[in-house]
Amino acid sequence: MASSADVHVRICEQEIIKYDLEIKALVQDVSECTGPQSKLTDLNFKIKEKFNNLRQRIQDLEQMGKEQDKESDKQTILNKVEGHRKQMLSNQTAWRKANLSCKLSIDKLEKEDLLNSEDMSIRHRKMTKESLAQSSSDITESLMSISRMMAQQVQQSEETMSTLATSSRTVLETHEEFKAMTGTIQLGRKLIIKYNRRELTDKLLIFLALALFLATVLYILKKRLFPFF
């Protein structure tokens, strides 16, 4: 029947093997990691925890070996401790190589991204320049179109002003003609009034002359017919 010490030794060895396998898996993940840097940092943090746990369990196993009563058991456990430490050092070496490979890969990808970014930036600037040139051409064309429209408006305004000036002269000439016609009408009215007055005077003179004539004739007849009166 196994003693309690033997049970603790087996449990400790199982935990050491478990941490060793977990570290190997994480180191493999690091070697295959292509970034970003935050992912590598997270993997390294997990590996450090596993190494701390592994180191502690190896020390526990070493202490158990030293406490063994039988020299043979003691030497067997200490030999296993030495083997686990060598394996841990091998894992640490593999971890450093995986980190170096991962960092080189990340640096390469970052450089490629930078180059691609610079290339995209150059293309963007080129497109921006072309866009600005096109926009400038469009603005120039718009300004020329506006200038032509303004020239047409000015020409139409000049024609309108010329028409207004002609109409104004026509109105003034018509007004002058109306004034002349008004003067002529007033003159004709005066002449008509004067003529009517003169006609009335002539009628009165004729009437007086006729009355005088009749009076004279009557007077002559009266003298001849009635001499004694």
Side-chain angles (χ1 to χ4, degrees):
M1 184 175 177
S3 64
S4 176
D6 292 337
V7 172
H8 287 301
V9 169
R10 284 197 298 271
I11 292 173
C12 186
E13 285 184 320
Q14 289 175 359
E15 289 181 352
I16 289 172
I17 294 171
K18 184 190 73 167
Y19 288 134
D20 178 71
L21 294 174
E22 290 176 347
I23 288 172
K24 282 181 170 60
L26 288 170
V27 169
Q28 183 65 30
D29 290 340
V30 170
S31 64
E32 295 175 355
C33 177
T34 56
Q37 184 64 41
S38 59
K39 182 178 180 181
L40 177 61
T41 301
D42 184 60
L43 288 172
N44 283 329
F45 179 78
K46 291 179 180 179
I47 292 176
K48 286 179 181 179
E49 285 188 333
K50 299 298 181 182
F51 268 119
N52 290 332
N53 293 332
L54 176 61
R55 191 177 294 108
Q56 182 62 49
R57 297 311 287 161
I58 291 174
Q59 290 177 357
D60 293 341
L61 182 61
E62 183 181 22
Q63 184 64 32
M64 291 178 188
K66 291 178 180 181
E67 293 175 353
Q68 293 296 315
D69 296 330
K70 291 182 180 181
E71 186 63 28
S72 59
D73 294 340
K74 176 180 178 180
Q75 194 60 43
T76 300
I77 294 173
L78 291 178
N79 288 336
K80 290 181 179 180
V81 168
E82 186 64 24
H84 289 314
R85 280 187 173 143
K86 288 181 179 179
Q87 187 61 49
M88 184 176 67
L89 290 174
S90 176
N91 287 338
Q92 288 176 338
T93 301
W95 179 32
R96 284 193 293 270
K97 290 181 179 179
N99 260 283
L100 179 61
S101 176
C102 181
K103 288 180 179 179
L104 290 174
S105 178
I106 291 174
D107 289 341
K108 181 180 178 181
L109 290 175
E110 287 180 349
K111 288 179 181 179
E112 290 177 354
D113 290 341
L114 180 61
L115 290 174
N116 291 333
S117 177
E118 290 178 351
D119 185 52
M120 290 180 63
S121 178
I122 292 172
R123 288 199 299 268
H124 178 70
R125 286 197 296 270
K126 183 178 179 181
M127 291 176 62
T128 301
K129 289 180 180 179
E130 292 176 353
S131 178
L132 288 173
Q134 184 62 37
S135 298
S136 177
S137 176
D138 294 341
I139 292 172
T140 302
E141 182 63 28
S142 298
L143 290 174
M144 291 178 66
S145 177
I146 293 172
S147 178
R148 288 193 295 269
M149 291 177 62
M150 291 179 67
Q152 293 176 357
Q153 291 293 331
V154 170
Q155 184 178 359
Q156 291 178 0
S157 298
E158 290 178 350
E159 293 175 354
T160 302
M161 292 296 294
S162 178
T163 302
L164 289 174
T166 302
S167 300
S168 178
R169 286 195 297 271
T170 302
V171 170
L172 289 173
E173 290 173 358
T174 304
H175 180 66
E176 292 297 328
E177 290 178 358
F178 281 153
K179 286 174 67 178
M181 290 176 63
T182 301
T184 302
I185 291 171
Q186 290 179 351
L187 179 61
R189 181 172 176 275
K190 290 179 180 179
L191 290 174
I192 290 171
I193 293 172
K194 184 176 181 181
Y195 176 76
N196 288 334
R197 289 178 180 175
R198 188 169 182 179
E199 185 179 7
L200 180 60
T201 302
D202 291 342
K203 287 180 179 180
L204 288 174
L205 291 174
I206 292 171
F207 178 75
L208 291 174
L210 183 59
L212 181 60
F213 175 74
L214 290 175
T216 303
V217 172
L218 289 174
Y219 179 75
I220 293 171
L221 289 173
K222 182 180 179 181
K223 287 293 185 182
R224 289 181 180 181
L225 294 174
F226 305 100
F228 298 105
F229 287 94

